[in-house]
Amino acid sequence: MKEFCTLLNEIGNSSVMELSGDLNKVALILNNTNRYVRSFDNIIFDGGNEAYIIEIVARLLRFLRRQNYLDEHNKVNELCVTQLRQIAMYLFLNTDVSFRYDLFRVVHVKHLLNTAPQLSKCLLLNCIWGLDLDRFLYEIVSNTPLWFSMQFLDQTISSLRYAKPYEVLERTESLVRSICFAICRTDCDWQKIDRNRYVDHQRTLGKMCDHVAELLCFYNTPDSSKFQGWSKVRKHTYFGYVLWHLFKMVLTGLKLSDRRPRPKPLDSSMAMYELVIEPDRYNTPSSAPASALYSGPTEQALMKINTCLLNTLETCIMH
């Protein structure tokens, strides 16, 4: 009974993500485009859907511009970050993805599910890149549970094949840093609590490491067709930026491996990222102090990522 009362108090005090006027209008745009422009189910990468994607993103862009959420250069208005964060999360929640756990068991987002046509991952990522919402993608990777964010990473990596060379560097670095932060933030010793969850967590960490290795392929084996017609000076300048981004990733990885960061609770504007399901609410161990060691799987994952980063740096320098 005490636990039930505690749960009710948490629900009452939680920051529920409301289906506001903005989200209603976004849902209306998505419903209309899904019905009259192109069914979202048919929008996939390399599917000849470029014209439809441009039209859908343009309609969302016009709405965000009318709301002054984006400026005249289609960049985020820093005064409207909270509203854009909610819109970005709303798009993620209404994407056609199968999760390990049922999101209808998450109190503060369940009322947002299935309130818009299910976006394909391809369309979602085109909206994220085209509407300058990528900072919220990195927030989601950093702050949501791994079982949530990992469902989007495969197509996120695929979408980078269509980005410009300098965009690839920036996005890759941000994604690698976000994955590292997420691995550290979600560290806990499940082996002492639930053997099944421990095994699942190990598999998840392995997949996250694989995603980092895939991202680093954009540094090891860049698409040569994107550099056709570039002068030697331009190529050397680009190579300098490659090393700069790699050094920053290496320093981040080594810093996180050296000392476990102090856990920080999310502020109210980011509470939507806490997708806490019932088993986790009472079974997750309390946060370890900043000086505590990582659990074995987390330490191994960070070591694997750092090894990939250092190998990539060596390859690029020796190239």
Side-chain angles (χ1 to χ4, degrees):
M1 185 65 183
K2 182 179 179 181
E3 290 183 351
F4 180 70
C5 293
T6 302
L7 177 59
L8 289 179
N9 288 331
E10 289 178 1
I11 294 173
N13 296 327
S14 65
S15 177
V16 177
M17 187 176 167
E18 299 289 347
L19 189 60
S20 62
D22 285 340
L23 299 186
N24 273 318
K25 291 176 182 176
V26 169
L28 180 61
I29 293 171
L30 295 177
N31 274 298
N32 287 337
T33 51
N34 179 62
R35 184 174 181 181
Y36 299 113
V37 177
R38 180 71 163 174
S39 173
F40 294 167
D41 295 337
N42 299 323
I43 297 180
I44 58 175
F45 287 110
D46 300 320
N49 295 293
E50 290 78 5
Y52 304 114
I53 292 172
I54 291 172
E55 175 62 24
I56 295 168
V57 174
R59 294 191 185 191
L60 290 170
L61 180 63
R62 286 195 293 269
F63 166 69
L64 297 181
R65 288 284 298 273
R66 285 198 304 269
Q67 300 296 104
N68 292 321
Y69 294 162
L70 300 180
D71 62 20
E72 63 273 13
H73 303 295
N74 297 331
K75 299 298 181 182
V76 169
N77 181 346
E78 296 299 329
L79 299 176
C80 304
V81 168
T82 300
Q83 294 91 328
L84 288 172
R85 180 179 289 123
Q86 289 196 352
I87 290 172
M89 187 61 175
Y90 180 71
L91 295 177
F92 275 88
L93 290 172
N94 285 283
T95 297
D96 187 14
V97 177
S98 297
F99 296 108
R100 183 179 298 170
Y101 302 106
D102 185 3
L103 287 181
F104 280 99
R105 296 164 64 187
V106 182
V107 174
H108 57 283
V109 301
K110 65 180 183 180
H111 60 291
L112 302 176
L113 303 174
N114 298 331
T115 55
Q118 297 294 286
L119 282 70
S120 65
K121 292 181 184 179
C122 171
L123 180 56
L124 168 72
L125 291 164
N126 274 281
C127 290
I128 294 299
W129 303 132
L131 301 174
D132 193 41
L133 301 178
D134 47 304
R135 69 168 70 179
F136 307 113
L137 166 63
Y138 310 138
E139 284 185 0
I140 286 171
V141 174
S142 297
N143 297 301
T144 59
L146 297 181
W147 55 262
F148 181 85
S149 61
M150 68 182 292
Q151 300 299 328
F152 302 96
L153 286 174
D154 54 346
Q155 292 296 305
T156 300
I157 296 170
S158 296
S159 72
L160 295 180
R161 293 187 285 117
Y162 307 96
K164 298 176 182 178
Y166 284 98
E167 290 177 342
V168 170
L169 298 182
E170 294 172 0
R171 294 172 182 178
T172 299
E173 181 197 342
S174 297
L175 285 168
V176 170
R177 289 162 63 94
S178 298
I179 290 172
C180 290
F181 285 132
I183 290 174
C184 296
R185 183 186 54 78
T186 58
D187 177 53
C188 62
D189 197 351
W190 281 109
Q191 191 171 18
K192 297 180 180 179
I193 303 166
D194 186 328
R195 179 66 183 176
N196 292 330
R197 294 294 300 275
Y198 172 71
V199 173
D200 284 343
H201 190 62
Q202 279 188 308
R203 291 173 180 168
T204 300
L205 290 177
K207 290 181 180 178
M208 299 302 273
C209 292
D210 291 341
H211 287 317
V212 171
E214 290 179 66
L215 286 165
L216 294 177
C217 287
F218 289 104
Y219 289 77
N220 287 323
T221 54
D223 184 358
S224 58
S225 64
K226 293 184 178 181
F227 304 97
Q228 292 180 357
W230 282 33
S231 65
K232 287 186 177 180
V233 173
R234 190 179 180 188
K235 289 180 180 178
H236 286 313
T237 302
Y238 177 79
F239 178 69
Y241 278 97
V242 169
L243 294 180
W244 180 55
H245 285 284
L246 273 172
F247 275 120
K248 288 197 293 181
M249 285 188 282
V250 168
L251 290 174
T252 298
L254 293 176
K255 182 179 179 180
L256 290 173
S257 297
D258 180 62
R259 183 176 179 82
R260 181 175 183 163
R262 184 181 298 276
K264 297 180 180 179
L266 297 177
D267 60 44
S268 58
S269 66
M270 300 174 68
M272 68 188 79
Y273 296 147
E274 293 184 329
L275 303 176
V276 182
I277 58 172
E278 187 175 345
D280 288 338
R281 187 180 296 277
Y282 299 110
N283 296 333
T284 302
S286 57
S287 299
S291 59
L293 298 175
Y294 289 112
S295 64
T298 298
E299 186 176 2
Q300 293 172 11
L302 290 174
M303 184 178 298
K304 185 176 180 180
I305 289 173
N306 284 331
T307 301
C308 287
L309 288 168
L310 290 170
N311 287 341
T312 302
L313 179 61
E314 180 184 16
T315 300
C316 290
I317 291 176
M318 299 298 292
H319 182 66

